[in-house]
Amino acid sequence: SLCRTRRGEGDWEREGRQDRMVAEDGVDVRTRTHFTPSEVAAHNSSQDDCWVSFLGRVYDLTPLLIEHAGDLVQPIADAAGKDISHWFDKETGDVKRWENTETGLPEYYTPMGNFLHVPPSDPSDNFQTDFGLPWWMDHLEREPKYWLGMLSQKRVRRVRIVNMLTKDEHTIEVCAEDTVDQICEKYLVYNSHAQSYTWKRLPTDGTKDMIVLDTTKTLEDNGLVDEGDEFEDLGIDED
């Protein structure tokens, strides 16, 4: 469990960030580095909220769908909220290819339907080549438009947060890679003043004093070891 107590006036001033990317729930996703599969799955609208994950990365392709209407974005829209790693080659990061047995030439493998930025199998005057890197390589851009961060590669943690002033409790899913600062930003949807509180954890040595957390570190680095696997082995509900 994590506990929050209010800081004194002027104790903490958070520096402003440039180029903020704020989701509808108020969370600044640009400062987040990892996302859970359930977070990706929640953005599953084919029209105005399309996140996907692939090869360990998380992309918000909503702007892409808005910029490019038509059949070439339909496979992307249909994949909203899903992992599409099977579209891509793990070694190259490019769309998978196969060898056409009739022509003997390699072609892009798109059984889901040809999609934006994939060259057509046959020569075409309609294929635009002035887009720079294809959208699935956006993480290589100096200023990415679609890439948000990484998909958590560790066990997703369920954390109970208690407001020691109001006694309100919330249990949220966080990535094991998240720092306390990033968890705090995620918690803003429940309490817009979360960043003005001191974050503490319960002691484990039998003492009564709670321990102030280093917000630049992860929960595990702050001594909060994930016991989820142990609970699972013992058949105990993690909640």
Side-chain angles (χ1 to χ4, degrees), residues 154-158 174 176 219-220 223-231 238:
K154 298 182 179 180
R155 180 186 176 90
V156 175
R157 300 191 62 167
R158 291 176 58 82
V174 302
L219 295 178
E220 188 166 357
L224 285 163
V225 179
D226 184 6
E227 299 175 330
D229 289 333
E230 183 177 351
F231 288 161
E238 187 175 348

Side-chain angles (χ1 to χ4, degrees), residues 5 32 54 71 75 84 88 100 102 112 124 151 162-163:
T5 56
R32 298 275 308 285
F54 59 93
D71 294 339
I84 56 173
F88 304 96
N100 188 315
E102 295 182 358
M112 72 296 293
S124 173
L151 190 68
V162 181
N163 186 323

